[in-house]
Amino acid sequence: MAPTSSSSVDLLYRDDPDLSVLAAELEHGKCIVFAGAGVSIPSGLPSWPELQRTMKSRAQLRNDYSALRVADCCRQVLGNRTFNEMLAESVGRAGRPGALHRKIAELPVKLFATSNYDTLLERAIRDGTGTDPRILSLSEQSQWLYIPEQPVEPWVLKVHGCVDRCRDLLVISEEDYLSFATTYSHVAKGLHELFARHPVLFLGYSLGDWDVLNVLHHSRLSLNEDVPNRYFVGFGMELPEKRFLEQRYRLRVFDLEGPHRAGHVDKTAALLQFLDDVIERFRIPVWLRDIIVGLGGRVEERGALDASVVSLFPDFDVSAAVRLAVRIKAKRSIDIPVEPLAADGMTLRGLLRIINQAEEAARAGKEEGDG
């Protein structure tokens, strides 16, 4: 499939049946969405290499160490208080929730987890739903064992801590990771139970945290063939790595870029497009629902993409199809053919496909004209 004009992504996952499975699990609120640093870095959160450079500079370290060892050495030089203040200052540079946070907050799920220390995800959920999410960080260990199966309110699980809740409890150094299973045993056990009951979607996450990998590995061993679906979104993955993740952790892998091309894609745009593609499988856009209702039709709040356009209206004929096409043109500034709209077999999913194709053609024409 050809790449899109907006992000140059080879959409190798578009026809993957796992995408429809993921969409169904999200639609029914079964999934946990696990957000990594790649979700917050576009909003100003420092990447691990950037944070490592800051720590090396502050501690005046000359030799090359792993990022976790650098954190240990920096903490040793600066002391706990100054070290934690430095982290809070670095993480605090992340400004407002970005497009990825807002898109994740649109998903019809109640359980979110993140390895990030910032508060952008919970702020996006609050802004999008008008509800304050329940936050569990490392200072509420015992509550990790009592997370409801189907919570009414959104929950955000801060697996590595949060600078706004308790700066003294952050998992960032080699010592922190080595002691995670004992120091935060309730968190590890709570994660294990959640991963044993719920599908998980990893977004913007490198799968480099040993504490989370341990939970994934042990839950796979204990559950054997009964492990829930786990989805990982990567970029430019080589086949051996993809096969390893599939076999070791039972991950269903989506490669948003295609093999051997990591670094040549706008990852934020690609993740946004991926989420839109998932949502497209179960949600009718608000603007299209408003048009249909304004013309006297009736649309379910969610789903119904496989319903025929004709069935949404009490009396639907060619003139009604013309009115629908005119409204869509006024809203989206595109021309779509009237004839397919009046066909008995035209579904809302098919209509959206026609709209998307018309919008892509309009964008391509504009780019050609600008060039």
Side-chain angles (χ1 to χ4, degrees), residues 192-241:
H192 174 84
E193 292 182 357
L194 286 173
F195 287 179
R197 302 194 310 263
H198 295 270
V200 185
L201 169 62
F202 291 99
L203 287 172
Y205 189 62
S206 66
L207 279 179
D209 296 325
W210 285 106
D211 45 15
V212 175
L213 289 178
N214 276 328
V215 171
L216 284 173
H217 185 56
H218 289 300
S219 63
R220 180 187 71 83
L221 292 177
S222 61
L223 294 171
N224 198 11
E225 298 297 327
D226 295 327
V227 62
N229 292 325
R230 296 157 174 179
Y231 306 90
F232 176 75
V233 180
F235 297 88
M237 303 181 71
E238 294 185 292
L239 185 60
E241 180 190 17

Side-chain angles (χ1 to χ4, degrees), residues 78 139 154 205 293 358:
L78 300 182
S139 55
Y205 189 62
V293 172

Side-chain angles (χ1 to χ4, degrees), residues 295 320-330 334 336-338 341:
L295 291 173
V322 171
R323 290 194 296 272
L324 180 58
V326 169
R327 293 284 185 93
I328 292 173
K329 178 179 180 179
I334 55 172
I336 61 173
V338 174
L341 299 186

Side-chain angles (χ1 to χ4, degrees), residues 31-325:
C31 243
I32 299 171
V33 177
F34 197 113
V39 170
S40 287
I41 286 174
S43 297
L45 183 77
S47 65
W48 261 110
E50 291 169 339
L51 195 55
Q52 185 178 13
R53 287 193 292 270
T54 298
M55 291 188 289
K56 286 189 70 172
S57 175
R58 290 291 299 273
Q60 297 183 2
L61 300 174
R62 295 186 301 273
N63 294 338
D64 290 330
Y65 305 101
S66 69
L68 301 183
R69 184 67 58 84
V70 167
D72 272 317
C73 293
C74 186
R75 180 185 280 157
Q76 183 73 28
V77 172
L78 300 182
N80 284 333
R81 181 174 179 180
T82 303
F83 178 78
N84 293 336
E85 288 175 352
M86 178 200 68
L87 286 179
E89 179 184 352
S90 298
V91 173
R93 293 174 191 157
R96 298 178 58 81
L100 272 173
H101 298 105
R102 294 191 294 272
K103 183 64 66 174
I104 291 171
E106 290 180 18
L107 297 173
V109 299
K110 298 295 185 182
L111 289 174
F112 303 86
T114 181
S115 55
N116 300 337
Y117 311 120
D118 62 75
T119 61
L120 298 179
L121 179 58
E122 48 264 48
R123 286 161 57 188
I125 294 170
R126 183 183 304 114
D127 293 344
T129 65
T131 302
D132 286 320
R134 178 76 178 274
I135 310 297
L136 283 192
S137 190
L138 299 180
S139 55
E140 301 94 3
Q141 277 209 58
S142 60
Q143 298 179 43
W144 284 76
L145 301 179
Y146 302 100
I147 300 171
E149 183 75 18
Q150 294 181 316
V152 176
E153 60 187 351
W155 287 56
V156 178
L157 313 177
K158 313 287 287 192
V159 175
H160 288 163
C162 179
V163 293
D164 281 12
R165 296 181 76 83
C166 187
R167 296 180 185 178
D168 295 331
L169 297 178
L170 298 176
V171 177
I172 189 171
S173 71
E174 184 176 303
E175 180 182 2
D176 297 330
Y177 277 88
L178 289 173
S179 62
F180 185 87
T182 52
T183 303
Y184 304 111
S185 58
H186 286 64
V187 177
K189 185 175 181 181
L191 280 178
H192 174 84
E193 292 182 357
L194 286 173
F195 287 179
R197 302 194 310 263
H198 295 270
V200 185
L201 169 62
F202 291 99
L203 287 172
Y205 189 62
S206 66
L207 279 179
D209 296 325
W210 285 106
D211 45 15
V212 175
L213 289 178
N214 276 328
V215 171
L216 284 173
H217 185 56
H218 289 300
S219 63
R220 180 187 71 83
L221 292 177
S222 61
L223 294 171
N224 198 11
E225 298 297 327
D226 295 327
V227 62
N229 292 325
R230 296 157 174 179
Y231 306 90
F232 176 75
V233 180
F235 297 88
M237 303 181 71
E238 294 185 292
L239 185 60
E241 180 190 17
K242 183 176 179 181
R243 292 289 180 261
F244 169 77
L245 293 176
E246 291 171 344
Q247 294 169 12
R248 171 64 65 84
Y249 301 111
R250 297 285 179 83
L251 291 168
R252 300 187 178 202
V253 178
F254 299 106
D255 187 352
L256 269 57
E257 191 180 13
H260 316 305
R261 292 181 51 207
H264 297 280
V265 66
D266 182 338
K267 293 183 179 181
T268 299
L271 284 172
L272 286 170
Q273 182 176 307
F274 174 80
L275 290 173
D276 280 337
D277 287 342
V278 175
I279 291 172
E280 180 184 316
R281 281 162 165 73
F282 63 80
R283 183 176 293 172
I284 300 169
V286 173
W287 66 266
L288 180 57
R289 184 188 302 116
D290 290 344
I291 287 176
I292 293 172
V293 172
L295 291 173
R298 184 173 181 177
V299 186
E300 296 293 333
E301 184 65 23
R302 185 182 297 140
L305 283 179
D306 293 316
S308 68
V309 174
V310 173
S311 69
L312 303 178
F313 297 89
D315 296 299
F316 193 81
D317 52 18
V318 174
S319 61
V322 171
R323 290 194 296 272
L324 180 58

